[in-house]
C-alpha cells in the first residue's frame, strides 16, 4: 500500500459530527439567542462539525455521550425550552 493510500484510509476512519452533537449545538445556539449567551461559540471547537471530538472514534463516542447529557440538561433547565432543544 502506498503512503498516499494509507493516508486516505486513515482520513476515512475519522468520525464525523454525531446527530446528537449537531442537535446539541443547535440547541445551544437557540439558548444563546434567547438569553444573550455565548455557550455555542465556546464549545464549537470541541463539538462543532470540524471539532476535535471527531478525530478518533473513541473520542467521538465520548463526545457523543457528552452532547447527549448536555442536551438533556438544556431541556431540563431552560424555560421556555426552544424548539431546537426539543426531542
Amino acid at each position: 500500500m502506498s503512503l498516499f493510500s494509507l493516508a486516505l484510509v486513515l482520513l476515512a476512519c475519522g468520525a464525523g459530527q454525531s446527530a446528537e452533537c449537531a442537535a446539541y449545538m443547535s440547541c445551544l445556539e437557540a439558548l444563546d439567542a434567547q438569553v444573550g449567551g455565548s455557550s455555542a461559540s465556546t464549545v464549537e471547537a470541541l463539538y462543532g462539525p470540524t471539532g476535535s471530538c471527531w478525530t478518533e472514534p473513541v473520542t467521538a463516542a465520548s463526545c457523543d455521550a457528552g452532547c447527549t447529557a448536555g442536551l438533556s440538561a438544556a431541556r431540563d433547565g431552560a424555560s421556555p425550552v426552544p424548539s431546537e432543544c426539543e426531542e
Side-chain angles (χ1 to χ4, degrees):
M1 180 180 280
S2 74
L3 185 56
F4 179 72
S5 297
L6 179 60
L8 286 177
V9 168
L10 291 175
L11 285 173
C13 290
Q17 182 188 38
S18 69
E20 195 71 13
C21 284
Y24 181 49
M25 291 299 301
S26 292
C27 175
L28 287 179
E29 290 166 359
L31 287 170
D32 285 350
Q34 187 172 297
V35 299
S38 61
S39 297
S41 62
T42 302
V43 298
E44 177 75 24
L46 185 63
Y47 296 130
T50 59
S52 59
C53 281
W54 319 119
T55 58
E56 299 288 332
V58 172
T59 306
S62 177
C63 289
D64 190 52
C67 289
T68 300
L71 195 51
S72 178
R75 288 177 182 142
D76 292 343
S79 181
V81 176
S83 62
E84 293 85 350
C85 300
E86 295 174 358
E87 292 183 55

